[in-house]
């Protein structure tokens, strides 16, 4: 048995999800005629109390469309230096929107209103105009760390005061909400746009949604089309998302419980001096005396897959296909590793 903990994107559709996909009514989504896509977009927008949504192939596309909506040439995006929109989207902020980026430090990948306030550029011919703040919840490079609403609201107020837009890369937002108990609608009230990924913790094979105003989503469709993201009978994919929102949200806490147990197993290894605080389904282990490559080779020998996450870091992500049996087997296998 291979235990794949590289990401929560490695999940496969459940039997119920497959049935929903195969039986979905479909049409041409570029013409706005796919009933299942339309139903998914309406469901997601209503869930977050936002006006509209657009279904896209990936979270990178939804994030990059949002940035295009809120920036223009010679403007600037404020985000954490470890943000996915900056590190892992192929330089999209620059290549897609011709915008500059101001990178901030912050504990476990999170930034504060005070930091944002200090980062806003003055009205000066020498500086790009600050137009957008982008946050990430949960924070991937922060070990799945969580923003709470009381941390977001001061940033929102600051954005309103300064005429800035606020975007959320919510690829794992449902993981955060599962832990915080906060409502999607309360989060929708804070942001101009929110990206939510269906193919991570929710277990879909493909797809993300961008949520926002009707006017922004109308513009988003034109951007999506120009980037090749207009899909035809996309309802087969959207049906998976609809099923996931109904059936896979409540179970996310199971992934978090297993992640915390997995973290404790790693802490018992002599060459792991630190495991980042495990808030959701991401576990990051810091190594000492060995390289990530050496550790990952040992893991591979035990048929465990993980990813390097820094010069001395390795990441593991629990998910829908990692149950209690896999967790028990993981503990047995890592206990055999020595250097």
């Amino acid at each position: 048995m291979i235990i794949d903990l590289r990401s929560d994107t490695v999940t496969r559709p459940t039997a119920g999800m497959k049935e929903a996909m195969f039986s979905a009514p479909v049409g041409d989504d570029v013409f706005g005629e796919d009933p299942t896509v339309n139903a998914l977009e309406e469901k997601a927008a209503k869930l977050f109390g936002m006006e509209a949504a657009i279904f896209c192939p990936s979270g990178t596309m939804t994030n990059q469309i949002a940035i295009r909506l809120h920036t223009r040439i010679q403007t600037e995006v404020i985000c954490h230096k470890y943000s996915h929109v900056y590190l892992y989207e192929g330089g999209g902020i620059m290549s897609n929107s011709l915008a500059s980026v101001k990178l901030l430090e912050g504990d476990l990948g999170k930034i504060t209103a005070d930091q944002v306030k200090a980062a806003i550029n003055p009205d000066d011919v020498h500086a790009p105009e600050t137009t957008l703040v982008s946050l990430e919840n949960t924070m991937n490079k922060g070990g799945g760390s969580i923003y709470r609403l009381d941390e977001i609201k001061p940033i929102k107020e600051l954005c309103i005061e300064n005429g800035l837009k606020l975007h959320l890369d919510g690829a794992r937002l449902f993981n955060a909400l599962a832990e915080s108990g906060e409502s999607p609608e309360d989060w929708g009230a804070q942001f101009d746009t929110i990206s939510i990924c269906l193919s991570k913790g929710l277990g879909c094979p493909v797809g993300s949604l961008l949520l926002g105003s009707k006017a922004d989503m109308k513009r988003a469709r034109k951007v999506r089309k120009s980037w090749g993201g207009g899909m035809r009978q996309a309802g087969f994919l959207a049906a998976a998302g609809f099923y996931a929102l109904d059936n896979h949200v409540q179970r996310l806490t199971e992934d978090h419980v297993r992640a915390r147990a997995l973290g404790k197993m790693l802490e018992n290894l002599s060459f792991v001096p630190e495991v980042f605080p495990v808030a959701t389904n991401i576990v990051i282990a810091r190594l000492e005396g060995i390289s990530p490559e050496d550790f990952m080779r040992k893991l591979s020998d035990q048929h465990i897959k993980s990813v390097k996450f820094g010069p001395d870091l390795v990441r593991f992500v629990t998910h829908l296909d990692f149950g209690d049996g896999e967790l028990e087997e993981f503990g047995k296998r890592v206990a055999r590793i020595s250097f």
Side-chain angles (χ1 to χ4, degrees), residues 13-30:
T14 62
M17 184 178 286
K18 288 178 182 178
E19 183 178 348
M21 294 171 71
F22 290 145
S23 61
V26 297
D28 191 319
D29 182 48
V30 174

Side-chain angles (χ1 to χ4, degrees), residues 97-298:
S97 299
L98 301 177
S100 180
V101 186
K102 182 168 288 183
L103 303 175
L104 304 184
E105 302 276 350
D107 185 43
L108 294 176
K110 295 162 55 180
I111 59 178
T112 66
D114 287 341
Q115 288 179 289
V116 172
K117 183 176 182 179
I120 298 172
N121 287 332
D123 184 8
D124 189 307
V125 69
H126 300 92
E129 177 190 355
T130 306
T131 61
L132 174 64
V133 178
S134 180
L135 306 177
E136 185 176 329
N137 196 29
T138 67
M139 185 63 189
N140 180 24
K141 291 284 282 188
S145 58
I146 298 173
Y147 277 104
R148 307 276 177 164
L149 269 174
D150 60 1
E151 297 171 290
I152 298 298
K153 288 180 178 178
I155 298 176
K156 175 63 173 179
E157 292 172 6
L158 186 66
C159 288
I160 293 173
E161 291 169 6
N162 291 273
L164 309 182
K165 298 295 185 179
L166 185 59
H167 171 65
L168 178 66
D169 174 1
R172 295 182 175 92
L173 178 57
F174 286 105
N175 291 87
L177 298 181
E179 284 298 312
S180 70
E182 295 166 343
S183 76
E185 193 167 1
D186 285 342
W187 275 77
Q190 305 304 314
F191 291 89
D192 295 285
T193 47
I194 294 177
S195 167
I196 55 174
C197 187
L198 303 169
S199 63
K200 292 188 171 68
L202 297 186
C204 296
V206 176
S208 287
L209 289 155
L210 181 64
L211 316 176
S213 69
K214 289 181 180 178
D216 278 345
M217 293 307 98
K218 182 177 180 180
R219 291 176 57 212
R221 290 183 187 279
K222 184 166 285 190
V223 177
R224 183 186 69 175
K225 180 63 176 174
S226 71
W227 288 351
M231 298 182 286
R232 301 297 178 174
Q233 288 71 36
F236 294 116
L237 300 175
F242 204 100
Y243 181 90
L245 290 176
D246 283 343
N247 295 279
H248 290 174
V249 173
Q250 298 301 320
R251 61 151 306 280
L252 288 172
T253 53
E254 299 174 19
D255 295 340
H256 305 168
V257 169
R258 294 185 186 108
R260 285 188 275 271
L262 189 150
K264 292 185 181 298
M265 294 173 182
L266 293 171
E267 286 175 347
N268 291 329
L269 301 176
S270 61
F271 48 86
V272 177
E274 179 190 10
V275 172
F276 284 24
V278 182
T280 49
N281 69 324
I282 296 175
V283 183
I284 299 178
R286 187 179 304 280
L287 308 177
E288 186 175 70
I290 61 168
S291 68
E293 291 83 0
D294 287 342
F295 183 37
M296 290 168 63
R297 275 193 289 271
K298 293 282 190 177

